Amino acid sequence: LKGFKAPASEAAGLVDLLNEVSNEYATNVKELAVGMAGLSPIARQMGFSMAETAGLLTPAIEVYRSGSEAADALKTSLQQLANDTKPVKAALASIGVSQTDLNGQLRSGKDIFLDVARAMIGLTDAQKSYVTQQLVGIEQAGRFGTVINDLGKYLAVTDTALNSAGSAAKEVATRLDTAIGLSHVAIFKGNPVGM
């Protein structure tokens, strides 16, 4: 929450987001929370919401199984998209993406990311690999490529996160109903729970 400069009143919504995304995708609450904490300041600065940040992290966590690795890779990679170096500018130009708007102002990292992801759709795997390495470097190319080359997954996870309200409460209620049902069965069979 602090990384997004969000008030404590949004904690329940964040818990729902973490819970629902971990229910729907191959991640878990712990790794997603670690990733969100690590990436949140950069994600907010680049224009990503909490839901969109979950969308960024989840594909990398699914493959690499580490929220901290995913966050570190994305912190570096997202900052590289706005980097003013020749390799980055050349790589972006090669796929028709600009870092600046028509007025010459630097665009948000989120807008650049989305344009890069869209531009990758028509490329071969070799082209995607080359462009990704030029953008973010060899060390982060694999993790960033996992995210950037699957815009559909980013959008699907973001949608899941946006529609997660009440997720944790529903899950707790289901587990309580199950526990109560099991205790009634045990009592019916003459085995009071806890005795």
Side-chain angles (χ1 to χ4, degrees), residues 53-136:
T53 302
L56 288 170
L57 287 162
T58 299
I61 293 171
E62 285 184 324
V63 173
Y64 294 96
R65 309 306 306 156
S66 170
S68 62
E69 281 186 38
D72 289 346
L74 286 165
K75 280 191 289 193
T76 301
S77 300
L78 291 172
Q79 289 177 322
Q80 278 295 106
L81 294 179
N83 196 329
D84 200 16
T85 63
K86 281 187 180 183
V88 171
K89 285 183 166 272
L92 289 172
S94 75
I95 57 173
V97 175
S98 176
Q99 292 174 320
T100 57
D101 63 20
L102 295 174
N103 296 321
Q105 299 297 311
L106 186 63
R107 297 169 61 220
S108 75
K110 175 182 161 183
D111 289 343
I112 297 169
F113 166 82
L114 291 171
D115 282 354
V116 169
R118 284 186 210 103
M120 293 287 195
I121 292 171
L123 302 180
T124 66
D125 287 343
Q127 291 170 322
K128 289 176 185 178
S129 178
Y130 176 77
V131 170
T132 303
Q133 286 179 31
Q134 295 303 304
L135 287 173
V136 301

